[in-house]
Amino acid sequence: MTSPYGDVNGYYNAYYPNPYWQITGDNSRKITDLYTMQGSADIGYKFTNWLSVLYRVGGQLYNSQLKAHIADVTFSDYATGDPWEAGNIASSAGGHTNATVQDATQLKTRFTGDLLVTLSPTFGDFTTKLILGQQTRQEYLRTTYDYAGALVVPGTYNVANRLGNATLAEYSSQSRLQGLFGDLTLGYKNALFVHASGRNDWTSLLAPSNRSFFYPAVDASVVLTELIPALKSNSVLSYVKLRGSLSKVGQVNVAPYQLQNVFNPGTGFPFGSQAGFEQSNQQNDPNLKPEFTNSREVGVELGLFDRFNLEAVYYNTLTTNQTVPIGISQATGYSTALINTGTMQNQGFELDLRTIRPLVNTGALPGMLMPTSRTWKVR
């Protein structure tokens, strides 16, 4: 424990006959036990050269336990008198601070399951790849907390050894997401590609009328050096690729049980040990909707002199229905409100130049010269 008078972890008790304070037992200590576990397993079967099925399951577990305490401290009359009139800890505490002890635990788990069906037949110069999938994700959280602000027996740091009422808290939540998706890629002579995807999610975080939402994407690219034979033998322009994409991505930025206004147990409310509840200061909205980000992008990739790769990209993204807390008049009975509001746009250019071979090769230090790249962003 550190104070305006220095480190008091036994130092003044041992070396000064008239200390500013006396400490009973250990000064302060915090013990944290933390461990995490994660793992995954999958099973698959290939029916033919163009049909396969895979199921993957994964899980994460996070557990932490905390125990912390601060010792009883008695300040001398000199310290309590605040001789420098600085408003020190001793004077504000009235010459004595009680020992405290607290415990906290947290358990978080996440389970995911993915089913993937892949079909990839070929038809002459055309290649296809279709992925159909289903995803399940379930999360669970539980936390507990207890705190005693004064102890009966000094040095016995157990919440049962308390004076008065302990502060207790417990919270648990569960959420689940189900998703169906498809991903299709069509190719022609390894030069022309069209890709499309779509996904629909159902989440327990939103009301039934809003919990289902769909978001698609499509992109295309063409490798001109594969379609135009004359470019293949070009010593200046060895590779040319044009691409463009349109996409829409949905996400939910809402915590569990954040749609309704709830009452929480109040500390010492209405008084003493009487049970009581108080409402949250945040006004929640049961009609919250997902956020969506619409993106557009076009780009070109060039291979120059069989040594450099140059990539130029223009992008434009627009995010709508952002879920954010805003301040409102306290005359409403709340200080903040959680609503869908705001639009954010981001656009710019990106230039990326990289070498595919070392600019200089001395031959004396193989492996020491690495390809380099430089990226410039203009927004």
Side-chain angles (χ1 to χ4, degrees):
M1 181 178 181
T2 302
S3 79
Y5 295 99
D7 184 359
V8 300
N9 193 13
Y11 180 83
Y12 286 108
N13 287 351
Y15 294 102
Y16 285 83
N18 184 23
Y20 293 111
W21 42 61
Q22 293 290 335
I23 301 174
T24 303
D26 295 335
N27 177 21
S28 64
R29 181 175 298 174
K30 181 182 293 185
I31 302 174
T32 303
D33 183 18
L34 168 66
Y35 66 86
T36 60
M37 296 178 60
Q38 61 181 4
S40 63
D42 57 70
I43 182 173
Y45 187 78
K46 190 172 184 178
F47 294 92
T48 66
N49 290 332
W50 55 270
L51 175 61
S52 63
V53 177
L54 173 71
Y55 186 77
R56 179 183 299 113
V57 61
Q60 296 177 333
L61 183 147
Y62 169 93
N63 184 75
S64 67
Q65 295 182 346
L66 166 72
K67 187 173 185 68
H69 69 256
I70 298 177
D72 184 284
V73 178
T74 300
F75 296 89
S76 68
D77 293 338
Y78 177 77
T80 305
D82 191 9
W84 300 100
E85 298 182 357
N88 61 19
I89 295 176
S91 60
S92 61
H96 179 264
T97 60
N98 294 318
T100 64
V101 61
Q102 60 179 318
D103 300 274
T105 65
Q106 184 180 77
L107 173 66
K108 293 194 295 184
T109 62
R110 170 183 282 192
F111 165 84
T112 57
D114 296 283
L115 174 64
L116 302 175
V117 179
T118 304
L119 301 93
S120 55
T122 59
F123 306 94
D125 293 332
F126 291 90
T127 59
T128 65
K129 185 175 183 179
L130 175 63
I131 301 176
L132 302 175
Q134 186 273 335
Q135 183 183 70
T136 299
R137 185 172 72 233
Q138 183 166 311
E139 298 182 356
Y140 172 78
L141 169 67
R142 182 176 186 269
T143 63
T144 62
Y145 174 81
D146 61 64
Y147 172 81
L151 303 181
V152 178
V153 181
T156 302
Y157 299 107
N158 188 311
V159 71
N161 179 41
R162 71 186 186 280
L163 284 171
N165 295 315
T167 299
L168 305 173
E170 179 180 353
Y171 175 82
S172 63
S173 66
Q174 295 185 72
S175 63
R176 178 180 294 177
L177 179 140
Q178 299 277 2
L180 293 175
F181 57 90
D183 187 284
L184 174 64
T185 302
L186 302 176
Y188 175 70
K189 289 188 175 181
N190 203 32
L192 181 62
F193 298 93
V194 177
H195 171 255
S197 64
R199 175 170 176 137
N200 199 97
D201 285 341
W202 294 264
T203 175
S204 65
L205 298 176
L206 300 179
S209 58
N210 297 323
R211 64 179 44 162
S212 174
F213 54 99
F214 175 74
Y215 44 101
V218 62
D219 60 86
S221 63
V222 56
V223 182
L224 296 180
T225 46
E226 294 292 335
L227 291 179
I228 305 175
L231 293 177
K232 293 184 178 181
S233 58
N234 192 319
S235 60
V236 177
L237 196 61
S238 57
Y239 180 78
V240 181
K241 178 180 179 180
L242 304 177
R243 60 185 176 87
S245 65
L246 296 172
S247 67
K248 181 179 181 180
V249 178
Q251 66 174 353
V252 178
N253 191 21
V254 178
Y257 319 129
Q258 236 180 343
L259 300 181
Q260 302 292 335
N261 300 320
V262 298
F263 288 84
N264 299 309
T267 303
F269 176 83
F271 55 85
S273 60
Q274 300 297 315
F277 293 83
E278 56 186 355
Q279 195 172 34
S280 170
N281 291 326
Q282 179 172 279
Q283 170 69 54
N284 293 321
D285 183 1
N287 298 312
L288 290 176
K289 299 178 180 180
E291 301 178 5
F292 289 104
T293 299
N294 293 275
S295 301
R296 294 176 294 169
E297 183 176 303
V298 292
V300 57
E301 299 178 28
L302 304 176
L304 304 173
F305 306 104
D306 200 26
R307 182 182 295 272
F308 300 99
N309 280 346
L310 174 64
E311 182 177 358
V313 178
Y314 168 76
Y315 61 91
N316 187 315
T317 62
L318 179 66
T319 302
T320 57
N321 266 0
Q322 289 180 299
T323 308
V324 295
I326 63 170
I328 59 176
S329 171
Q330 296 189 9
T332 62
Y334 305 92
S335 58
T336 62
L338 188 66
I339 63 173
N340 289 124
T341 186
T343 298
M344 181 177 68
Q345 186 174 22
N346 187 16
Q347 60 181 340
F349 293 90
E350 288 187 6
L351 294 176
D352 185 271
L353 177 64
R354 65 184 63 192
T355 63
I356 57 178
R357 291 187 299 169
L359 296 177
V360 178
N361 190 355
T362 63
L365 299 173
M368 296 299 293
L369 294 176
M370 302 298 293
T372 59
S373 66
R374 294 291 184 268
T375 301
W376 295 270
K377 293 184 178 181
V378 181
R379 297 181 178 177

